Amino acid sequence: MGDFMNNKILPPIMKFVNTKAITALKNGMLFTLPFIMIGSVFLILAQLPVASWAAWMTKTGLSAICMQIYNASFGVMSIFAVSGIAYVWVKDDGFDPLPAGLTALVSFLIIQRPTTAIMINGKIAVTAAQAPQVQMIDRTWLGGQGMIAAIIIGLITGWIYSWFLKRDIRIKLPEQVPAAVAGSFTALIPATAITVGWLVVYGLFDVFGKTTFIEFIYKVVQTPLQGLTDTFGGMLIIALLIPLFWFFGVHGAVIIGGIMGPLLQANSLANAKITAAGHIASATNGGHIVTQSLLDQFGTVTGSGMTFGLVVFMVFFAKSQQMKSIGRLGIGTGVFNINEPVLFGTPIVMNPLLAAPFILMPAISMGATYLAIKFGVIPYFRGPMVPWTTPPIISGLLVGDWRTAVWQAGMIVLSFFVYWPFARKQDAILYKQEQAKLQAETDADASEGVKAN
């Protein structure tokens, strides 16, 4: 099975994962993380699920101030994504990446239809006689709803920009010209071609489709994809694939996260938007169950495979020195959702005995949580995304409420019982090997003593 996976299954998967497009997508999306975290912190502060706190924040006006930071960071996540993806693509090709990132941002704004509003005393109104009209960028498409369009534009922009520079289609200035000035002229031809190209796309959709490219992509591509991920089956595939890749020594969270992360983050942002509007995320008002928080807090919490139950067994119940030592090493890092010492030290990687609980535990946890949310046992996640190193229980409280934290604790306790029978067998094997080695060393010492006498 291992040979089949390593020789037949993993090579094409790794080839796909290492393509320039997936690499640019995966690494480009990393630019969004600081702003997601910053926005999430202030969304939590503004919408903490404690009635007295919420009332005080609203009364003092601090809630609106916190939402200002959320709206300028997490709320416009797509502009960071489109810039970051084009930036990484061009950087990997060995060219100055900043102009490409800025070109992608401009292109992303070009394909959006400006919103016309009427201003009365500096405030937006729906209708008013002879009131001045202004055009604004609709922030709706700068957040989660524009994510797939941002990915497409970032990838295409990065590819075309590199295509021009690889063929040396650019304006060249003498060496005496300062690098900053020369660089701006280098970007002029590719940037002009790219922005004009996206302007043509905008015009075609506007004239013939009476819509925009970004709205078309959202309706035809993103909405079905988000709907597919937001199903029990879609959740199950994500839950099973991450530990399955890890079993063969491949970082499953990076691979699956790089591909599915934008959709899960878009689902999270949709819930955050509902929360920011002062509502409770639910199926009725368009909330999503399968979000980045479901994966982080119930699929990879304490590390891929949810190995904290295994670590507890190793620390308190194992007889073999190997499992005890690895358990003591892994219990501290496991609290912060890092479990590589356990994966390679136990080992779990390429260990058929521990494969079943390692692969199934995330599916059990995420599946049970999916049903608990669906039937109202715990609430929909509110949208904020906490750093992946946030300890469990605390992370559950921040993304949901006290019920989410209690449920998360229950899933971690359950992991102990899921791993228990398999861990006992692994421990017995290792203990027997250690005892046999110890006996052999004792016999060897005794033999040496007899010879000495």
Side-chain angles (χ1 to χ4, degrees):
M1 179 63 178
D3 291 339
F4 175 75
M5 288 293 295
N6 285 316
N7 296 327
K8 301 295 184 181
I9 303 299
L10 288 179
I13 291 176
M14 294 308 299
K15 185 177 181 180
F16 170 74
V17 168
N18 291 323
T19 58
K20 190 173 292 184
I22 297 300
T23 301
L25 170 61
K26 180 175 61 179
N27 295 336
M29 288 298 297
L30 293 177
F31 286 94
T32 69
L33 291 182
F35 305 103
I36 288 174
M37 298 309 171
I38 293 170
S40 293
V41 167
F42 285 92
L43 179 60
I44 291 170
L45 289 174
Q47 304 290 342
L48 196 68
V50 177
S52 57
W53 173 270
W56 180 77
M57 289 289 287
T58 302
K59 181 179 179 180
T60 58
L62 291 175
S63 179
I65 294 174
C66 289
M67 291 307 299
Q68 188 75 356
I69 297 181
Y70 160 79
N71 289 329
S73 53
F74 195 178
V76 291
M77 185 170 59
S78 290
I79 67 174
F80 305 120
V82 70
S83 304
I85 291 169
Y87 181 98
V88 170
W89 185 298
V90 174
K91 182 181 179 182
D92 289 345
D93 279 338
F95 303 112
D96 182 11
L98 183 57
L102 296 176
T103 301
L105 174 57
V106 172
S107 302
F108 185 58
L109 297 177
I110 286 173
I111 54 95
Q112 301 183 42
R113 182 184 292 126
T115 299
T116 301
I118 298 171
M119 303 296 292
I120 301 178
N121 297 326
K123 296 182 179 180
I124 299 174
V126 179
T127 59
Q130 297 181 344
Q133 292 187 349
V134 296
Q135 288 190 329
M136 303 176 299
I137 297 173
D138 190 350
R139 196 158 53 191
T140 299
W141 304 107
L142 303 183
Q145 290 183 212
M147 182 55 67
I148 298 301
I151 291 172
I152 294 172
I153 292 169
L155 292 174
I156 293 176
T157 298
W159 171 64
I160 296 176
Y161 193 94
S162 288
W163 184 90
F164 272 88
L165 296 189
K166 285 179 179 179
R167 286 155 181 80
D168 211 22
I169 305 174
R170 51 182 162 177
I171 297 175
K172 296 180 181 179
L173 297 180
E175 294 182 359
Q176 293 80 5
V177 177
V181 177
S184 63
F185 277 89
T186 297
L188 187 58
I189 292 178
T192 300
I194 291 168
T195 52
V196 169
W198 287 115
L199 181 62
V200 171
V201 171
Y202 171 81
L204 290 174
F205 276 89
D206 185 58
V207 174
F208 297 105
K210 304 303 179 183
T211 185
T212 63
F213 175 77
I214 194 169
E215 291 173 275
F216 175 80
I217 292 297
Y218 177 73
K219 182 179 179 180
V220 176
V221 180
Q222 181 166 336
T223 300
L225 285 176
Q226 284 187 250
L228 184 62
T229 60
D230 202 27
T231 62
F232 190 86
M235 172 277 304
L236 202 59
I237 291 173
I238 295 171
L240 291 171
L241 283 180
I242 291 177
L244 181 63
F245 278 118
W246 257 123
F247 175 75
F248 292 98
V250 180
H251 203 306
V254 169
I255 293 174
I256 302 303
I259 299 171
M260 300 302 298
L263 291 172
L264 297 181
Q265 291 170 16
N267 288 350
S268 295
L269 189 55
N271 286 10
K273 189 175 181 180
I274 296 169
T275 301
H279 305 300
I280 297 175
S282 66
T284 305
N285 53 25
H288 296 275
I289 296 177
V290 185
T291 64
Q292 188 67 45
S293 295
L294 178 66
L295 176 59
D296 290 345
Q297 316 315 329
F298 292 94
T300 58
V301 66
T302 73
S304 296
M306 293 186 64
T307 54
F308 199 73
L310 173 64
V311 171
V312 170
F313 170 86
M314 290 195 290
V315 172
F316 297 103
F317 300 97
K319 295 181 180 179
S320 67
Q321 288 302 313
Q322 179 176 333
M323 292 193 79
K324 282 185 176 181
S325 300
I326 296 299
R328 295 190 190 104
L329 180 64
I331 196 165
T333 59
V335 171
F336 297 97
N337 307 313
I338 300 169
N339 68 339
E340 276 78 359
V342 177
L343 297 180
F344 293 100
T346 308
I348 293 176
V349 172
M350 299 300 289
N351 183 350
L353 189 57
L354 294 175
F358 180 69
I359 294 172
L360 292 177
M361 184 59 223
I364 294 170
S365 174
M366 290 178 67
T369 305
Y370 180 99
L371 296 175
I373 295 173
K374 189 174 183 65
F375 293 107
V377 178
I378 61 176
Y380 277 63
F381 300 126
R382 296 182 300 118
M385 293 167 55
V386 298
W388 64 272
T389 52
T390 304
I393 316 304
I394 297 174
S395 61
L397 179 65
L398 293 176
V399 302
D401 62 12
W402 67 269
R403 292 170 293 174
T404 312
V406 171
W407 184 269
Q408 189 182 43
M411 291 298 103
I412 294 174
V413 171
L414 178 63
S415 72
F416 173 81
F417 295 100
V418 171
Y419 275 100
W420 172 277
F422 303 93
R424 282 186 63 189
K425 184 63 176 177
Q426 174 76 7
D427 181 53
I429 293 172
L430 293 176
Y431 182 72
K432 185 177 180 179
Q433 292 174 348
E434 290 174 356
Q435 292 301 112
K437 182 179 179 181
L438 181 62
Q439 185 62 48
E441 292 174 350
T442 302
D443 292 344
D445 290 342
S447 176
E448 290 294 329
V450 169
K451 289 180 181 180
N453 294 329

